[in-house]
Amino acid sequence: MLFIRICRLLPSVSESLALPRHGLIRRSMASDPTATETTRFDFLVIGGGSGGLAGARRASELGAATAVIESHKLGGTCVNVGCVPKKVMWNAAVHAEYLHDHSDYGFDVGNVRFSWEILKAKRDAYISHLNRIYRNNLDKAKIQTIQGHARFTNDPEPTVEVNGKKYTAPHILIATGGQPSVLSDNEVPGASLGITSDGFFELETLPKRSVIVGAGYIAVEMAGILSTLGSKTSLIIRQTGVLRNFDSFISTNCTKELQNSGVDVWKNSQVKSVCKTDKGLEVTLVTKDPEKKSDEEKIRTIQEVDCLLWAIGRQPNTSGLNIGEMTVDTDERGHIIVDEFQNTSRAGIYAVGDVCGKALLTPVAIAAGRKLAHRLFEGKKDSKLDYSTIPTVVFSHPPIGTVGLTEEEAIRSRGKENVKIYKTSFTPMYHAITSRKSQCIMKLVCVGKEEKVVGLHMQGLGCDEMLQGFAVAIKMGATKADFDKTIAIHPTSSEEFVTMR
């Protein structure tokens, strides 16, 4: 009787032998008491951002024992200091724009006050909510979350160490993303007195005087948000226009729109030095027009600056990973080199997202991570991301939408004689009765006798939400004739794309 009672208190044989979704490799020897155990998974993901989480969740759905290593907050750049909080701030700036138009539409709004503090509190609460959702999703998928910095060891098989514990897997994905590039005080004296886009989201109050350095989409978006919300803003660019990697039609128009909206654009200029005074920062600039060789450099200063923001590019998060130990090849900027299947130079180690330095966009990282999971754990040998014809939006004022080849790229690849351009510029109907004006510009890049549409570029009210549908058509190989056969939706700006001549 006593024996039976004891047996009932013990776990059943099946329970005691049940295997977890991951296992332990015991590497400790009696002669080496310092040796550690290594936990093995099927799939080990370094980086809990968009690409890493997407790959991890899809792999888990396909039956792989999966773990995610993250040193900061789940969600990566996009959720914490990128797309999501940026879009909240852009939405607020759009409200500020519409306030200018209320009287033209018959509204008397009286004295309107803006509180950066209220907006920041609501934005931060939303981001924290998203962080919790990501954690809950991992828990539901039975994916182990490991908090800390990963570093590759010199073990015989690819292994990482986090907080003194070792983890390995036959498939390890590096999805550590990127971070804003910064200048040292040796390169530009006082550079460290500025912030980056990461620091923008820590600002407790709206700066009265802002200086943004850079000509890429982050610089354009930050300048637009700050200026529209009421900060006197200067944008420092090295050449004559912003977004130089975009179609020249877009680059020229966006530069003009920034200036028309009140942003002070300093062309052919660079920051020479920054110093702190009792009234804020003093930013010294050097300006020289390269076209005018005889012109001397002009030295000027912007004073009483309370926000200097560097938006001069991004760099991969690879320092501290010790990827050299794994003989993983990188380019001169530190980006991990991968092939079309996201394979690195070391078998069993893969990379997706910004750490690879190609198409630095959240949906690209997500798609690449999922495609990789299907290849590794569902046997889909040919599962890979097609990096061509990727649509993207810049949340400028007004927003930009672009997909496919620029006119310049099409001419280089197909020859000028084989490229046909259709474009238009007009005032959107919304602005027909407003004193504030903003143009909408549109361009189609077509190639060959059939006039296949290989590029579509636009800037104007609503262009951010127009793009996705047109991107599908272009990905499917639509021609100008297909556009022409489509009945216009009137009155909209988008109808211009199907009525161009």
Side-chain angles (χ1 to χ4, degrees), residues 9 47 249 377 408:
L9 292 174
F249 193 46
F377 301 108
E408 298 82 2

Side-chain angles (χ1 to χ4, degrees), residues 107-350:
F107 291 91
D108 181 5
V109 294
N111 185 28
V112 177
R113 290 181 63 252
F114 167 65
S115 172
W116 178 282
E117 293 77 9
I118 290 174
L119 175 61
K120 182 180 185 300
K122 285 180 170 287
R123 184 198 72 208
D124 292 351
Y126 174 51
I127 301 307
S128 296
H129 173 64
L130 293 179
N131 294 146
R132 290 191 294 272
I133 287 175
Y134 276 105
R135 182 57 192 259
N136 290 340
N137 285 340
L138 290 181
D139 291 343
K140 286 177 187 174
K142 293 183 170 53
I143 296 170
Q144 184 170 333
T145 306
I146 302 164
Q147 192 73 31
H149 289 273
R151 178 179 174 80
F152 282 99
T153 66
N154 59 1
D155 286 78
E157 62 179 330
T159 302
V160 297
E161 188 172 355
V162 185
N163 301 325
K165 295 181 179 178
K166 289 186 176 183
Y167 305 90
T168 189
H171 305 290
I172 298 178
L173 172 62
I174 301 173
T176 48
Q179 61 186 341
S181 299
V182 293
L183 293 174
S184 69
D185 288 339
N186 288 332
E187 294 170 297
V188 174
S192 60
L193 294 169
I195 62 172
T196 65
S197 56
D198 287 1
F200 170 81
F201 297 107
E202 296 174 9
L203 292 174
E204 297 291 341
T205 57
L206 173 66
K208 292 180 180 177
R209 186 72 175 91
S210 301
V211 173
I212 316 296
V213 184
Y217 79 94
I218 295 174
V220 166
E221 291 176 341
M222 296 287 108
I225 290 168
L226 285 166
S227 175
T228 307
L229 290 178
S231 178
K232 186 178 179 184
T233 304
S234 296
L235 180 63
I236 316 303
I237 62 176
R238 288 184 298 175
Q239 297 185 35
T240 57
V242 298
L243 304 178
R244 294 186 302 274
N245 292 332
F246 287 64
D247 191 280
S248 59
F249 193 46
I250 296 295
S251 174
T252 300
N253 192 73
C254 185
T255 305
K256 183 181 74 175
E257 287 285 358
L258 281 165
Q259 292 173 303
N260 290 346
S261 68
V263 175
D264 184 21
V265 180
W266 292 60
K267 300 178 181 180
N268 300 311
S269 299
Q270 296 186 61
V271 177
K272 184 173 182 174
S273 65
V274 185
C275 65
K276 195 169 189 175
T277 71
D278 56 354
K279 292 184 178 180
L281 300 180
E282 185 176 281
V283 182
T284 301
L285 305 170
V286 56
T287 302
K288 186 174 187 341
D289 189 342
E291 299 296 318
K292 298 175 182 175
K293 306 255 180 187
S294 58
D295 271 17
E296 291 186 3
E297 291 183 344
K298 294 177 183 174
I299 307 293
R300 291 175 287 180
T301 62
I302 302 175
Q303 299 179 332
E304 299 183 25
V305 174
D306 45 359
C307 176
L308 168 63
L309 193 154
W310 299 99
I312 54 175
R314 293 181 65 80
Q315 60 190 36
N317 276 332
T318 52
S319 65
L321 267 179
N322 196 30
I323 54 175
E325 187 71 50
M326 293 292 101
T327 62
V328 171
D329 291 341
T330 59
D331 66 16
E332 65 279 358
R333 294 188 60 200
H335 294 111
I336 295 176
I337 298 171
V338 294
D339 65 13
E340 59 186 336
F341 290 98
Q342 312 299 147
N343 297 311
T344 70
S345 54
R346 175 69 182 259
I349 298 181
Y350 319 89

Side-chain angles (χ1 to χ4, degrees), residues 29-41:
M29 305 287 289
S31 59
D32 184 9
T34 63
T36 59
E37 294 176 336
T38 301
T39 306
R40 174 182 287 277
F41 295 90

